[in-house]
């Protein structure tokens, strides 16, 4: 499988300067105001590899290139770049390549750049042709050593072609000629990569067939109440008609046969059978009203000609929604837009699901915009369930379409004087852009975050527990603890620190971060970006390793090893000898002693909180924590 890992939109409509954002393995959320450029981002992605032939989803210099830059680009005569996408290949594909080529790819990432004339170029450097030929030729065991030597020095197409042209003159054996001909597949005349033919072979055979295709969906694809079947093929470019056609294809109904028939019972039965399958999936997530049922009716439109003969001029598919409790049915378009969106999306989506040999990335533009807040939450569950099999990128400005424990998956979209800006670190100052994220945090979260002007951001609950308890112990001994005005705020992991800083900074609060040594490079990158943009001062970021002067440390490393092991033993009812532990991370060593399995770091902290009266700590442990509190207090 190939996954999209980064999108670089170079120039497209309101995006006038190159914008990049990381794409999550499952769900990526684009949040921004109306007209901020969210739809343009999805369109630009869709036009790179759309899942079907559709002129609407191809790049067009006139309609898509930023207007105020178009004249200057036209004068150069060059075809400008539109989008550059970066992908990562999984081990299964790499193994297939290795099995055929006998040489391991040097990398698992590549990029594809798409241009405004709709051609695309690849960038990868996986297989060195010379190294490949050396390995391959040795394995083929040529009889003629001169031929073998010549082939082992081939590094491009021209050199291979020269060896091939000489095969009849050199008197090679029939067996050697067969082996030589077997290499032609790697140096095809139709291929164009002169200097990297083996990379091109990999692209053609393994990457292009597995490259994900984009499926774009918005409100315009919602099913209409009445569909002219006779004119359906003529209006195929209409988005709503495409969904209607998808419904008929999903039901295995041939439109041409239907438009020639006078008896529609068989076709209605197929539609109702398909509706039952779709509804079974729909009502897993649609909790608002489960009494609804889709009804289909196919009618014929007749007219009398000049000879007083009646003839059928059209067949009409009518779609209605019945409330089974009241018995009332209404045209689909007259029911709630939210229900129509959900049902129509499932029709569209299930149709593309039939293509099992293709991988899709779903682009959803303002999904569930007309749904009630609770129904949006149900839709959100549906989207995250879909993400087990598909990468999904969706846009929203609704706080109910954002999961508060997944804020690291959010990218903000904001329009400035120089065009649309996309941010990974939620760095905009615009309160309207930030509002959905702040609202999504919810009432309970707000109660914890906004009770103090001074906030110490830590990663988890165990940090909060240890810091609070040890501060109390130090103060009881007349030593310096944490400033009582400082509120300790656990954010739920290092990857959420950058988001919390962004959301809190608009409230004129003092912030200090206290973190474990980074192991997640993406979290470190986001925080470094915050520092570079002066959203938080570098001096206001503390690490536990700063206190004990080591390369790596978690809060547990502030304890003397014998102190923490004693706490660990009492928590898990084990007997580990602390003298067997060496310098370095205590958590890693305990994990190793636990057969490589991690343990709940909060449990020892919780045990300490419950048994504080019977537990004492060494002076060395208390010194480390006191040193930490002095550093924090100075920063506030």
């Amino acid at each position: 499988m190939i996954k999209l890992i980064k999108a670089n939109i170079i120039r497209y409509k309101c995006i006038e300067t190159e914008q990049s954002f990381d794409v999550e393995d499952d769900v990526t959320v684009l949040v921004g105001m109306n007209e901020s450029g969210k739809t343009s981002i999805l369109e630009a992605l869709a036009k790179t590899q759309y899942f079907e032939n559709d002129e609407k989803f191809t790049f067009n210099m006139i309609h898509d290139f930023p207007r105020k830059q178009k004249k200057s680009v036209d004068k150069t005569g060059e075809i400008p770049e539109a989008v550059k996408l970066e992908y990562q290949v999984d081990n299964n594909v790499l193994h297939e390549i290795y099995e055929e080529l006998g040489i391991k790819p040097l990398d698992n990432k590549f990029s594809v750049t798409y241009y405004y004339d709709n051609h695309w170029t690849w960038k990868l450097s996986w297989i060195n042709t010379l190294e490949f030929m050396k390995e391959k030729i040795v394995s083929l065991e040529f009889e003629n050593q001169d031929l073998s030597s010549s082939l082992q020095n081939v590094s491009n197409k021209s050199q291979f072609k020269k060896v091939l042209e000489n095969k009849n003159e050199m008197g090679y054996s029939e067996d050697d000629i067969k082996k030589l001909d077997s290499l032609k597949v790697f140096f095809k005349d139709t291929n164009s990569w002169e200097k990297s033919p083996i990379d091109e072979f990999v692209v053609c055979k393994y990457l292009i067939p597995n490259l994900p295709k984009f499926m774009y969906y918005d409100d315009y694809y919602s099913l209409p109440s009445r569909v002219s079947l006779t004119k359906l093929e003529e209006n195929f470019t209409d988005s709503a008609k495409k969904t209607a056609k998808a419904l008929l294809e999903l039901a295995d109904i041939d439109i041409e046969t239907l438009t020639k028939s006078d008896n529609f019972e068989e076709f209605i039965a197929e539609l109702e059978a398909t509706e039952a399958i779709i509804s079974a999936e729909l009502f897993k997530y649609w909790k608002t009203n489960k009494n609804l049922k889709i009804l289909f009716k196919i009618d014929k439109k007749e007219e009398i000609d000049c000879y007083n003969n009646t003839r059928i001029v059209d067949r009409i598919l009518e779609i209605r929604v019945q409330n089974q409790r009241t018995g009332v049915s209404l045209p689909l378009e007259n029911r709630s837009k939210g229900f129509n969106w959900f049902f129509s999306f499932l029709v569209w989506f299930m149709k593309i699901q039939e293509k099992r040999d293709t991988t899709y990335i779903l682009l959803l533009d303002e999904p569930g915009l007309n749904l009630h807040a609770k129904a949006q939450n149900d839709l959100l569950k549906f989207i995250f369930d879909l993400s087990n099999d598909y990468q999904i990128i969706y846009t929203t400005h609704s706080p109910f379409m954002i999961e508060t424990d997944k804020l690291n998956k959010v990218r903000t979209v904001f329009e400035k004087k120089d065009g649309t800006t996309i941010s990974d670190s939620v760095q905009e100052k615009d309160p309207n852009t930030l509002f959905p994220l702040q609202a999504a945090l919810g009432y309970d979260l707000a109660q914890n975050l906004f009770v103090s002007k001074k906030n110490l951001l830590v990663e988890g609950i165990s940090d909060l527990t240890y810091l609070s308890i040890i501060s109390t112990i130090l103060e009881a001994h007349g030593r310096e603890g944490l400033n009582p005005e400082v509120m300790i705020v656990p954010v739920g992991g290092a990857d959420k620190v950058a988001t919390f800083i962004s959301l809190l900074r608009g409230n004129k609060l003092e912030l200090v971060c206290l973190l474990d040594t980074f192991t997640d490079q993406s979290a470190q990158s986001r925080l470094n970006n915050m520092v570079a943009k002066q959203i938080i001062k570098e001096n206001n970021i503390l690490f536990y390793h700063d206190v004990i002067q080591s390369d790596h440390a978690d809060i547990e490393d502030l304890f003397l090893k014998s102190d923490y092991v004693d706490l660990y033993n009492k928590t898990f009812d084990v007997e580990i000898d602390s003298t067997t532990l060496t310098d370095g991370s205590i958590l890693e060593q305990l994990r190793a002693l636990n057969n490589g399995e991690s343990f709940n770091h909060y449990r020892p902290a919780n045990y300490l909180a419950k048994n504080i009266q019977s537990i004492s700590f060494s002076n060395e442990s208390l010194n480390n924590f006191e040193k930490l509190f002095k550093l924090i207090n100075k920063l506030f």
Side-chain angles (χ1 to χ4, degrees):
M1 181 182 288
I2 297 175
K3 287 206 169 187
L4 178 65
I5 59 173
K6 189 170 187 177
N8 306 275
I9 303 178
I10 301 166
R11 298 285 189 283
Y12 186 83
K13 291 186 176 178
C14 56
I15 301 171
E16 300 171 10
T17 58
E18 183 172 347
Q19 299 295 316
S20 303
F21 65 96
D22 293 331
V23 178
E24 301 288 340
D25 285 347
D26 45 16
V27 176
T28 306
V29 188
L30 302 178
V31 175
M33 294 179 62
N34 293 333
E35 302 298 323
S36 61
K38 303 190 300 296
T39 297
S40 293
I41 296 168
L42 297 190
E43 283 182 1
L45 296 177
K47 290 182 179 184
T48 60
Q49 284 287 320
Y50 202 54
F51 78 102
E52 63 179 5
N53 292 325
D54 188 338
E55 287 188 6
K56 178 183 174 182
F57 288 100
T58 57
F59 289 109
N60 185 300
M61 193 69 188
I62 296 174
H63 299 300
D64 298 337
F65 198 79
R67 289 292 171 88
K68 63 183 181 182
Q69 300 178 10
K70 186 176 181 299
K71 287 294 184 184
S72 59
V73 171
D74 287 344
K75 290 176 182 178
T76 67
E78 297 178 357
I79 304 299
E81 298 174 348
V83 176
K84 176 184 175 183
L85 301 181
E86 299 178 31
Y87 295 92
Q88 181 170 294
V89 177
D90 69 10
N91 289 330
N92 291 331
V93 176
L94 294 177
H95 182 71
E96 288 182 30
I97 296 171
Y98 174 70
E99 286 288 301
E100 176 162 4
L101 301 184
I103 186 169
K104 292 182 178 179
L106 298 173
D107 198 359
N108 67 340
K109 296 176 182 177
F110 65 91
S111 66
V112 187
T113 302
Y114 299 84
Y115 295 78
Y116 269 93
D117 63 352
N118 292 290
H119 86 278
W120 27 313
T121 59
W122 294 71
K123 184 177 180 181
L124 73 159
S125 184
W126 285 11
I127 308 292
N128 181 285
T129 302
L130 186 61
E131 294 299 321
F132 164 76
M133 291 299 286
K134 287 179 179 179
E135 294 279 344
K136 193 72 175 176
I137 302 313
V138 169
S139 67
L140 288 174
E141 297 180 348
F142 283 88
E143 297 173 11
N144 188 299
Q145 293 305 308
D146 290 338
L147 174 58
S148 177
S149 179
S150 297
L151 288 171
Q152 288 185 54
N153 288 309
V154 167
S155 61
N156 55 52
K157 278 180 60 179
S158 297
Q159 291 173 354
F160 178 78
K161 187 177 181 180
K162 188 174 181 180
V163 174
L164 200 64
E165 289 171 348
N166 294 333
K167 70 177 182 181
N168 295 325
E169 301 174 9
M170 301 305 294
Y172 300 139
S173 68
E174 186 176 333
D175 189 45
D176 273 359
I177 290 176
K178 285 182 179 179
K179 292 175 182 177
L180 179 60
D181 288 342
S182 71
L183 297 172
K184 289 180 181 178
V185 68
F186 303 111
F187 299 90
K188 290 181 178 178
D189 290 336
T190 54
N191 292 353
S192 58
W193 295 15
E194 167 62 27
K195 295 183 178 179
S196 307
I198 310 305
D199 277 342
E200 186 175 15
F201 171 80
V202 169
V203 166
C204 294
K205 183 167 183 179
Y206 294 100
L207 301 188
I208 290 178
N210 291 302
L211 201 64
K213 294 186 179 297
F214 290 98
M215 171 194 163
Y216 175 87
Y217 191 88
D218 64 10
D219 277 344
Y220 294 107
Y221 287 88
S222 295
L223 279 164
S225 297
R226 291 173 61 83
V227 182
S228 168
L229 299 175
T230 305
K231 299 177 181 178
L232 188 59
E233 290 290 347
E234 300 173 15
N235 297 325
F236 185 57
T237 54
D238 184 284
S239 300
K241 299 295 192 301
K242 284 186 178 183
T243 311
K245 189 170 187 289
L247 173 64
L248 295 171
E249 291 175 350
L250 201 58
D252 294 323
I253 293 175
D254 181 70
I255 298 175
E256 186 177 350
T257 303
L258 174 57
T259 54
K260 293 178 180 178
S261 177
D262 294 336
N263 189 339
F264 308 126
E265 287 304 314
E266 177 186 343
F267 303 110
I268 291 175
E270 293 294 341
L271 285 167
E272 289 176 344
T274 302
E275 181 272 335
I277 297 171
I278 297 171
S279 293
E281 183 72 12
L282 170 68
F283 287 113
K284 287 182 186 177
Y285 302 95
W286 182 264
K287 310 292 185 184
T288 304
N289 186 348
K290 292 196 172 187
N291 293 315
L292 303 181
K293 180 176 177 60
I294 300 290
L295 302 177
F296 297 102
K297 180 181 178 182
I298 301 176
D299 205 353
K300 52 191 175 185
K301 181 179 179 182
E302 299 176 332
E303 68 177 26
I304 299 174
D305 61 20
C306 57
Y307 300 103
N308 207 32
N309 296 320
T310 302
R311 66 187 183 93
I312 300 174
V313 294
D314 201 356
R315 277 83 171 169
I316 306 294
L317 170 64
E318 186 174 356
I319 308 173
R320 301 178 69 85
V321 181
Q322 182 185 51
N323 187 316
Q324 297 181 90
R325 183 182 64 81
T326 63
V328 176
S329 71
L330 292 171
L332 179 61
E333 290 175 335
N334 289 12
R335 298 297 307 195
S336 71
K337 290 183 178 179
F339 180 83
N340 191 345
W341 185 95
F342 218 142
F343 185 80
S344 301
F345 172 72
L346 283 175
V347 169
W348 186 245
F349 177 66
M350 286 187 169
K351 179 65 183 73
I352 70 160
Q353 270 188 312
E354 292 185 336
K355 299 179 181 179
R356 301 291 183 184
D357 58 341
T358 305
T359 305
Y360 296 99
I361 297 174
L362 308 183
L363 306 174
L364 308 181
D365 198 4
E366 298 286 359
L369 183 62
N370 297 297
L371 292 175
H372 178 268
K374 182 63 177 68
Q376 286 187 3
N377 190 254
D378 293 336
L379 174 60
L380 200 54
K381 293 175 183 175
F382 172 65
I383 288 174
F384 274 92
D385 283 350
L386 279 183
S387 70
N388 293 324
D389 300 307
Y390 304 91
Q391 284 183 282
I392 300 173
I393 304 174
Y394 72 87
T395 66
T396 190
H397 56 252
S398 168
F400 305 104
M401 288 298 295
I402 302 167
E403 290 207 344
T404 55
D405 62 341
K406 297 181 175 66
L407 291 176
N408 57 301
K409 300 181 184 296
V410 172
R411 314 287 180 259
T412 58
V413 183
F414 181 65
E415 186 174 31
K416 297 182 179 179
K417 291 182 179 179
D418 57 349
T420 293
T421 299
I422 308 169
S423 170
D424 284 348
S425 58
V426 202
Q427 60 192 343
E428 283 77 22
K429 298 178 182 178
D430 180 64
N432 294 320
T433 302
L434 291 177
F435 174 75
L437 302 181
Q438 292 174 328
L441 291 174
Y443 176 80
D444 291 334
L445 193 57
Q447 289 299 298
N448 286 297
L449 293 181
F450 302 117
V451 293
S452 173
K453 286 292 182 182
K454 304 176 188 292
N455 292 277
L456 177 65
L457 303 189
V458 297
E459 293 187 27
I461 297 297
S462 57
D463 302 71
L464 166 64
T465 305
Y466 286 131
L467 294 173
S468 301
I469 292 174
I470 304 300
S471 177
T472 303
I473 292 173
L474 287 168
E475 290 170 359
H477 287 81
R479 302 174 67 172
E480 185 171 349
L482 184 64
N483 182 338
E485 294 180 4
V486 174
M487 174 62 66
I488 305 173
V489 181
V491 300
D495 57 343
K496 298 182 179 65
V497 170
T499 303
F500 271 70
I501 292 171
S502 296
L503 298 181
L504 285 170
R505 71 181 181 127
N507 295 278
K508 298 181 180 179
L509 305 178
E510 292 183 50
L511 299 175
V512 171
C513 295
L514 178 59
L515 307 171
D516 298 336
T517 304
F518 276 120
T519 55
D520 182 352
Q521 295 302 315
S522 63
Q524 182 176 5
S525 176
R526 281 195 289 271
L527 195 57
N528 289 342
N529 191 32
M530 306 287 279
V531 173
K533 296 184 181 298
Q534 299 180 344
I535 294 173
I536 186 172
K537 296 178 181 178
E538 186 173 9
N539 291 340
N540 280 25
I541 303 172
L542 281 178
F543 294 88
Y544 291 113
H545 60 242
D546 294 332
V547 179
I548 59 175
Q549 302 298 311
S550 66
D551 294 330
H552 181 283
D554 304 299
I555 190 170
E556 290 82 358
D557 293 304
L558 267 62
F559 291 98
L560 188 66
K561 282 190 168 52
S562 58
D563 287 346
Y564 188 78
V565 168
D566 179 61
L567 186 60
Y568 179 87
N569 287 341
K570 290 175 180 176
T571 302
F572 296 101
D573 195 22
V574 293
E575 294 182 3
I576 292 176
D577 184 359
S578 62
T579 61
T580 62
L581 301 182
T582 61
D583 293 334
S585 171
I586 191 169
L587 294 183
E588 290 182 6
Q589 295 183 67
L590 290 174
R591 190 181 299 116
L593 293 173
N594 194 33
N595 298 319
E597 295 183 5
S598 188
F599 60 93
N600 187 334
H601 298 171
Y602 176 64
R603 286 185 61 186
N606 187 45
Y607 183 91
L608 172 61
K610 291 180 178 179
N611 300 277
I612 185 62
Q613 299 301 327
S614 61
I615 297 176
S616 60
F617 294 108
S618 67
N619 200 47
E620 183 176 341
S621 295
L622 296 177
N623 287 342
N624 286 339
F625 276 95
E626 186 178 35
K627 181 180 177 182
L628 171 64
F629 292 139
K630 287 180 178 180
L631 288 172
I632 295 171
N633 292 340
K634 282 182 181 179
L635 291 176
F636 280 112

